[in-house]
Amino acid sequence: MNDRTMKAVLFDRYGAPEVLYVGRVPRPEPAPGEVLVRVCAFSVNGGETAARAGRVRLLTGRRFPQRIGLDFTGEVAELGAGAAGVAVGDRVWGVLGRTSGFGSAAEYVTVPAGRLGRVPDSLDLVDAAALPVATTAVTALRDKAALRPGERLLVRGAAGGVGNAAVQLGQAYGAEVTALARAANLDFVRALGAHRAVDHRAVRPAELGRFDVVVDTVGTDLRTFRGLLRPAGRMVTIAFDSARPVASLGYIAASAIHGHGRVRFFSGNPVREHFDDLARHVVEGRLRPAVDTVFPLEETAAAHRALEAGGVRGKYVVRVDQSLG
């Protein structure tokens, strides 16, 4: 077999998780400033399931086969010319950039050296794969919302990948954290540090009270949850309603002009500084990985199916290389 190829998860048409399969593609070569990473594991994210289903095909287009995978952990295998800050053999984590698209669901991935960070020695690489998206929670709470000790924080989607990190970090930053999750996950989010855990299907939003900061990972009903903000409150969302993308994004944009409490929307685009922050939070005990289930690469479709079924506690992780850990 040609050793310049590798396994990767692909799909040839939009559809249900069953469209995913493991095929072979050319192994990438690191360009100047890039790093070739041998992938240990990656996690499954909502944006990927939406892309695979064709709900954002205006962005993803109609060229096939397409790839999946946004984040990853692994080991540096090769350095491109001029790549600095990491060395061959380093244990690293990263997230592909906005312009790179998907593609970490593979045996190897190339990424600019500045978009990688070193995984703390205390973490197994499989467990660590649950945390790269936690950089989004750090950015949301610290940079976008400027959360302060003593403030009231509402986390919507608190049991998910970004949500569980927001609960942990909100508590560590000194906020009073209310976590919205399914009934079956309430004990889980309490164990993460939530001061109040609420079944989102049993309580109307208006009954929750008022908050200084709302972190939304769901993307629907933004107007309703924006209405829970106190004066000078801040709302951050990392999602939009994929069933009504134009209207959803339009509302987010209009919130900066009409009424109080702008809805700040962003997608994670972390660089080394963010991963250094992430590692520091882990080492200081503020943040720990939450892995629901680990799937082998050949069962990536099952991981997508499980995420779409709802009820995840933390992250579904897919292990690519059994020899790394």
Side-chain angles (χ1 to χ4, degrees):
M1 183 175 293
N2 182 354
D3 63 3
R4 306 310 296 177
T5 67
M6 65 175 184
K7 291 181 180 179
V9 180
L10 310 168
F11 61 100
D12 296 328
R13 68 184 188 281
Y14 294 122
E18 288 70 28
V19 301
L20 299 175
Y21 66 94
V22 178
R24 297 201 73 87
V25 299
R27 197 179 95 175
E29 299 289 340
E34 288 188 339
V35 174
L36 178 70
V37 177
R38 181 182 172 192
V39 177
C40 173
F42 63 91
S43 76
V44 179
N45 298 282
E48 299 168 65
T49 61
R52 185 220 69 234
R55 292 197 294 272
V56 289
R57 66 184 70 195
L58 289 177
L59 299 176
T60 54
R62 294 185 176 277
R63 295 185 63 181
F64 296 98
Q66 292 193 23
R67 304 273 297 275
I68 64 163
L70 180 64
D71 54 38
F72 58 90
T73 60
E75 185 178 281
V76 174
E78 186 180 339
L79 301 178
V86 292
V88 172
D90 281 353
R91 301 164 71 247
V92 294
W93 48 18
V95 175
L96 297 182
R98 292 177 184 145
T99 60
S100 303
F102 299 117
S104 67
E107 291 181 301
Y108 291 88
V109 66
T110 53
V111 62
R115 299 190 63 84
L116 290 172
R118 290 189 180 89
V119 175
D121 293 338
S122 60
L123 285 184
D124 173 273
L125 284 177
V126 177
D127 288 341
L131 284 178
V133 295
T135 56
T136 301
V138 175
T139 300
L141 293 174
R142 186 191 64 191
D143 303 334
K144 301 294 183 180
L147 180 69
R148 296 184 291 270
E151 290 193 313
R152 296 196 72 215
L153 168 66
L154 174 66
V155 180
R156 189 175 179 219
V162 175
N164 90 84
V167 169
Q168 295 183 65
L169 292 171
Q171 189 274 338
Y173 293 163
E176 178 190 321
V177 182
T178 295
L180 286 182
R182 292 187 175 200
N185 290 335
L186 297 184
D187 286 342
F188 170 71
V189 294
R190 287 190 191 99
L192 295 174
H195 300 88
R196 181 185 178 201
V198 180
D199 178 1
H200 70 94
R201 289 182 286 192
V203 175
R204 293 184 299 112
E207 299 173 22
L208 295 171
R210 293 290 185 263
F211 298 88
D212 300 289
V213 174
V214 173
V215 172
D216 177 86
T217 72
V218 181
T220 59
D221 300 319
L222 296 181
R223 186 187 303 272
T224 298
F225 285 92
R226 182 189 178 199
L228 303 184
L229 291 176
R230 287 173 167 173
R234 293 87 71 199
M235 180 171 175
V236 181
T237 182
I238 63 165
F240 59 88
D241 188 347
S242 61
R244 302 168 58 247
V246 174
S248 182
L249 291 171
Y251 176 74
I252 292 170
S255 75
I257 303 172
H258 302 289
H260 88 281
R262 175 184 176 185
V263 180
R264 298 162 174 85
F265 171 76
F266 75 102
S267 59
N269 196 37
V271 295
R272 183 171 297 153
E273 175 188 356
H274 297 98
F275 288 111
D276 290 345
D277 287 342
L278 183 65
R280 183 163 54 253
H281 286 307
V282 171
V283 171
E284 293 176 355
R286 293 182 170 191
L287 183 64
R288 64 182 187 273
V291 177
D292 186 303
T293 308
V294 179
F295 296 83
L297 185 65
E298 291 72 19
E299 295 182 16
T300 301
H304 272 233
R305 193 178 306 113
L307 184 62
E308 291 180 333
V312 62
R313 297 183 177 186
K315 296 290 287 183
Y316 290 122
V317 171
V318 178
R319 182 162 194 165
V320 179
D321 193 319
Q322 298 293 326
S323 67
L324 295 176

